[in-house]
Amino acid sequence: MSANFENNKIAEYRRVRGLSQRRLAKEIGTSQANLSRWEQGKIEPSIVECWKLADYFDVSIDVLCGRREY
């Protein structure tokens, strides 16, 4: 089973909190360009970056990444 990061919820959670990409990127210690590519599903964040995002939004990595299968 492979992960499909295209279903991630990063942009959704970011918008709900009223954050710009630049602000969220600064909060978690990455670039705005990386965050944009993650939201678009073009590249995948590292596990450490996933932890930072999940902790920031107080959700599980599975929920954040849009995992539908177990």
Side-chain angles (χ1 to χ4, degrees):
M1 175 183 338
S2 64
N4 182 355
F5 202 73
E6 293 174 3
N7 296 323
N8 78 75
K9 305 286 185 198
I10 299 169
E12 180 180 330
Y13 283 108
R14 179 179 58 76
R15 288 184 194 116
V16 166
R17 292 236 181 147
L19 297 168
S20 67
Q21 285 182 341
R22 177 178 281 173
R23 173 72 188 269
L24 178 56
K26 183 177 180 180
E27 292 284 331
I28 64 165
T30 193
S31 69
Q32 183 273 326
N34 272 344
L35 184 61
S36 176
R37 290 189 291 258
W38 296 343
E39 288 184 356
Q40 296 172 34
K42 291 183 176 180
I43 62 170
E44 297 176 359
S46 72
I47 189 65
V48 172
E49 292 162 331
C50 285
W51 287 333
K52 287 179 181 181
L53 286 163
D55 286 348
Y56 187 87
F57 292 121
D58 195 28
V59 297
S60 72
I61 290 176
D62 284 339
V63 168
L64 182 75
C65 296
R67 185 174 179 187
R68 297 180 185 181
E69 297 178 18
Y70 294 94

